């Protein structure tokens, strides 16, 4: 007979659902050559295993999708379309909780110059690149150095900006504070008061 | 329970808005305007209720209170919940204005049905024990039915009815228990101090 309470307790623990919050927040930024997406219900509970879908912002075409990890994060390389049209990133956390984040084309300007392991120097003039491939030895020597420097600067910058980005994400998705709550209560009482005023005016 | 913007199809949004408008019209017609302040107070309780988090296991859930509103207000729960949800949408960005109709209908109609169920149970089981059971069921059923309607609305999106319904039901079991108890105590308290409030 003790099975039933144990079962109910287990059920309650299993249903311990951060998925129950009112809405899901999404925040995305460019980090190096990737876009970093973070999804959370509130500061304390990340949106795990949410479906992130990335669209071309101008024509709505789906570019890629994937699931968020245990920390509500999802990372993907900047698609070519982003540079021209920008991106619309959508999170579906289930139970009707969805939200989206818009990134304009301008935000990806930094990603073009960011270090990359692929051959060819991004962000340089095509002519120059051609010259480099023509085996100009001096440039060949300078290139790894530039590349390293860029990577180091970019990594340091990303690390230093991380707390700022978190704060920014929290600011863009504020939790309701006393101002909103008291304001809402005032509205409700005020609405009732207005209705009573007009009803009372009609009565003899 | 708050369905976000852009999840539902226009057809679902439209029928939700129409049903919510109908319910609100019935609620306003039947409303005794001497009791308007009660409606406003309960609307305020609903508005704040979703900010009250109950820690359960690893996460937390929030109150809905639609069963309590249904039991105490009857059809007047529609305008009360509509106003509260509109303010939650505007001030907290919960839900949204296009889904306001669907969300209002899901929670308010569930509350109205729960109120009827409470009366039915109270008739079946006379006596104070039966009355308490009925009050508890009124609060718990409000949440359960709201989950059912929410899942039904989501059935037309890509999530599918069964998955959504199962998740919503499991996740809201603790809320159902807590709201059953809240409704039980609130109703028995009002029955003692202001019994005329319950005669709707």
């Amino acid at each position: 007979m003790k099975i039933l309470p144990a079962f109910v307790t287990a059920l309650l623990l299993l249903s311990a659902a951060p998925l129950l919050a009112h809405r899901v927040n999404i925040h995305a930024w460019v980090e190096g050559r990737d876009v970093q997406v973070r999804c959370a219900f509130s500061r304390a509970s990340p949106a795990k295993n949410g479906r992130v879908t990335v669209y071309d912002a101008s024509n709505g075409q789906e570019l890629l999708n994937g699931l968020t990890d245990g920390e509500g994060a999802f990372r993907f390389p900047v698609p070519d379309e982003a540079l021209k049209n920008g991106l619309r990133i959508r999170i579906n956390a289930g139970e009707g909780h969805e939200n989206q984040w818009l990134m304009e084309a301008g935000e990806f300007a930094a990603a073009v110059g960011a270090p990359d392991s692929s051959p060819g120097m991004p962000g340089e003039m095509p002519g120059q690149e051609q010259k480099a491939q023509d085996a100009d030895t001096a440039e060949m020597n300078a290139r790894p150095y530039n590349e390293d420097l860029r990577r180091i600067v970019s990594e340091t910058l990303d690390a230093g900006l991380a707390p700022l980005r978190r704060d920014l994400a929290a600011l863009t998705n504020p939790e309701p504070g006393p101002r909103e709550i008291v304001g809402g209560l005032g509205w409700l009482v005020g609405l009732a008061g207005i209705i009573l005023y007009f009803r009372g005016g009609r009565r003899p | 329970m708050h369905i976000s913007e852009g999840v539902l199809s226009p057809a679902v949004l439209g029928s939700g808005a129409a049903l919510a408008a109908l319910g609100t019209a019935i609620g306003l017609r039947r409303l005794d305007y001497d009791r308007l302040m009660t409606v406003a107070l309960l609307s305020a309780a609903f508005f704040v209720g979703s900010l009250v988090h109950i820690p359960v296991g690893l996460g937390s859930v929030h109150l809905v209170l639609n069963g309590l509103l249904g039991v105490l207000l009857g059809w007047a729960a529609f305008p009360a919940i509509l106003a509260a949800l509109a303010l939650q949408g505007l001030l907290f960005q919960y839900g949204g204005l296009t889904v306001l109709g669907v969300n209002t209908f899901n929670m308010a109609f569930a509350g109205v049905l729960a109120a009827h169920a409470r009366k039915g149970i109270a008739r079946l089981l006379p006596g104070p024990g039966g009355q308490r059971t009925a009050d508890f069921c009124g609060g718990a059923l409000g949440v359960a039915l709201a989950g059912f309607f929410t899942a039904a609305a989501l059935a037309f999106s890509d999530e599918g009815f069964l998955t959504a319904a199962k998740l919503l039901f499991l996740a809201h079991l603790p809320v159902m228990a807590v709201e059953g108890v809240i409704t039980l105590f609130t109703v028995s308290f009002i029955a003692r101090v202001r019994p005329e409030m319950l005669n709707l």
Side-chain angles (χ1 to χ4, degrees), chain A residues 25-31 34-40 46-55 62-79 87-92 103:
Chain A
N25 297 321
I26 178 168
H27 188 66
W29 64 89
V30 179
E31 217 173 83
D34 294 340
V35 177
Q36 179 76 41
V37 186
R38 249 172 210 286
C39 308
K48 295 167 197 165
N49 292 319
R51 170 71 59 183
V52 176
T53 318
V54 181
Y55 302 94
E62 186 180 330
L63 301 175
L64 58 109
N65 68 66
L67 293 177
T68 56
D69 63 12
E71 280 165 359
F74 178 65
R75 204 179 168 93
F76 62 93
V78 175
L87 293 179
R88 189 161 62 86
I89 304 166
R90 212 169 161 80
I91 167 77
N92 180 351
M103 295 183 90

Side-chain angles (χ1 to χ4, degrees), chain A residues 87-117:
Chain A
L87 293 179
R88 189 161 62 86
I89 304 166
R90 212 169 161 80
I91 167 77
N92 180 351
E95 290 180 41
H97 290 122
E98 287 193 25
N99 207 342
Q100 61 178 13
W101 182 263
L102 285 172
M103 295 183 90
E104 283 171 22
E107 294 184 50
F108 300 103
V112 184
D116 183 31
S117 49

